[in-house]
Amino acid sequence: MMHFDSLPGWLRWQEGLHPLAIDLGLERVAAVYDALNPQRLKPLTITVAGTNGKGSCVAYLEAFYKAQGYRVGAYTSPHILRYNERIKINGEPVSDELICAAFTRIEAVRAGHSLSYFEFGTLAALDIFWRSDLDIQLLEVGLGGRLDAVNIVDPDAAIVTSIGIDHVYWLGDTREAIGREKAGIFRPATPAIVSDLEPPASVIATAQAQQARLYCLNQQFHYSQQQQGWTWSAEGRQLDGLPEPALKGEHQYRNASAAILATQLLSERLPVGADAIRSGLANVRLAGRFQQLPADMTVILDVGHNPEAVKTLVAYLKQYYPGRIIHAVFAMMKDKDIASVLDIMHPVVHDWYFAPLANHRAITETAMREIFLQSPVSKVSFGFSGFKDAFDAAKSQAHPDDVLLVFGSFFLVSDCLHEFEKSELTT
């Protein structure tokens, strides 16, 4: 049996254990989970899937339940700065020691099953959570839903946020195919909450086939914005005068509305009052989503990396920074729809600075040059050694009232935050 004394040691070993970084399917991970937790003990569970908005939805749920005084576990991915961010209890990343102990227990019962890096992490989160006397656990799907490792747990409520085109190699290249995969988290007689404004027919059909309790935005639940605050309603329940979500963007009302509905549908088991909802909305935080750094000029970070995500980014920039000159430091993974992202962002970005990433999944500078040549973008700079080099070049061209936008990849945002942490880059 393998054993390591440090979290980095465990993670390095896991990265090479399984031949594929992504291997969808539940048989292997479920077998290990059954050996690890034969009685399938778990706290109350909400599972969240979607192309975009999963992390925001989990953040709202975490904020609501924490504000009510419950013990809350949240499992999300990927992390931005440290692996421990993936597994939180009451908003705080758990310790290296707790994760290593979980890995040791997993390895003791793995019995030759090959687990991916993500599957190891999912099992560790589930193992830590059921041992930690939690009131509720919040599980974010990593990829898809039906065959994602998170789906070995039967949720007490399931949320599907927006559905767009992403991860086509694994999920399909249509919203119908992708929606079917994401709706795979639905369970019989269990709330199935959908906040996509135009959900694919496959999502509705899957919910009906599962005999889930389907709730669609603008049908079974609603929100409306007023001059002062906003109102949420569903099934005779109504919350008035809610504060604007601390996470910015019109889409955040949809994410928050779905999260509020989940708390209300589970209220018989875990009541959440209006005051906790209001507090959660005002105090919710999420790194890497429209995140503004404290600096001597405006620096915004966003992990948006697909067409739907960057449409919301454009809307946010137009609403909150109208008329400002925007300099973009940019990188993406090679399997993304980069051409569409450039087309969508082009009207709001003044100039671009490509920051190469030290990741085998990232697009190379050579390939990126070709995509830019086919795009409407004319002002783009290459030849940088990494994030800091590209950021410094962008900042040298910016005036005090301009906006420095770092977007396109979790890994790029991570590089930025690491640099900011160690050198106060923007001051």
Side-chain angles (χ1 to χ4, degrees), residues 278-411:
R278 290 189 173 91
S279 175
L281 288 168
N283 295 304
V284 65
R285 298 289 181 269
L286 188 62
R289 274 76 164 191
F290 302 167
Q291 180 181 359
Q292 185 167 340
L293 296 182
D296 58 356
M297 65 184 304
T298 303
V299 179
I300 298 170
L301 313 184
D302 192 68
V303 295
H305 53 257
N306 55 54
E308 184 184 33
V310 296
K311 284 177 184 176
T312 64
L313 176 57
V314 168
Y316 167 77
L317 293 168
K318 287 181 176 179
Q319 180 178 357
Y320 290 95
Y321 303 96
R324 303 273 288 274
I325 293 175
I326 297 171
H327 310 270
V329 180
F330 170 78
M332 286 184 72
M333 298 296 102
K334 59 189 174 186
D335 61 336
K336 303 301 178 184
D337 186 358
I338 299 172
S340 293
V341 168
L342 296 185
D343 286 343
I344 294 164
M345 292 296 295
H346 170 61
V348 297
V349 173
H350 176 72
D351 51 5
W352 300 71
Y353 299 80
F354 175 70
L357 296 172
N359 184 292
H360 70 279
R361 290 179 51 218
I363 190 163
T364 64
E365 182 168 313
T366 299
M368 193 71 248
R369 285 178 182 271
E370 289 299 315
I371 295 174
F372 268 106
L373 283 174
Q374 302 300 318
S375 79
V377 175
S378 58
K379 292 185 177 181
V380 55
S381 298
F382 292 98
F384 304 111
S385 60
F387 165 74
K388 187 177 185 304
D389 196 18
F391 185 91
D392 287 344
K395 189 177 181 184
S396 72
Q397 297 302 309
H399 294 97
D401 289 337
D402 292 354
V403 174
L404 289 171
L405 172 66
V406 179
F407 90 102
S409 166
F410 274 90
F411 296 102

Side-chain angles (χ1 to χ4, degrees), residues 5 7 84 94-105 128:
D5 294 327
L7 182 56
N84 310 56
V94 301
S95 67
D96 286 13
E97 291 73 21
L98 212 56
I99 299 174
C100 288
F103 285 159
T104 300
R105 289 190 291 269
I128 289 168

Side-chain angles (χ1 to χ4, degrees), residues 157 191 193 213 215 235 237 260-268:
I193 300 166
R213 294 164 52 197
Y215 296 82
E235 294 189 327
R237 302 178 179 92
I260 292 172
L261 178 59
T263 67
Q264 301 308 293
L265 293 175
L266 296 177
S267 62
E268 287 189 7

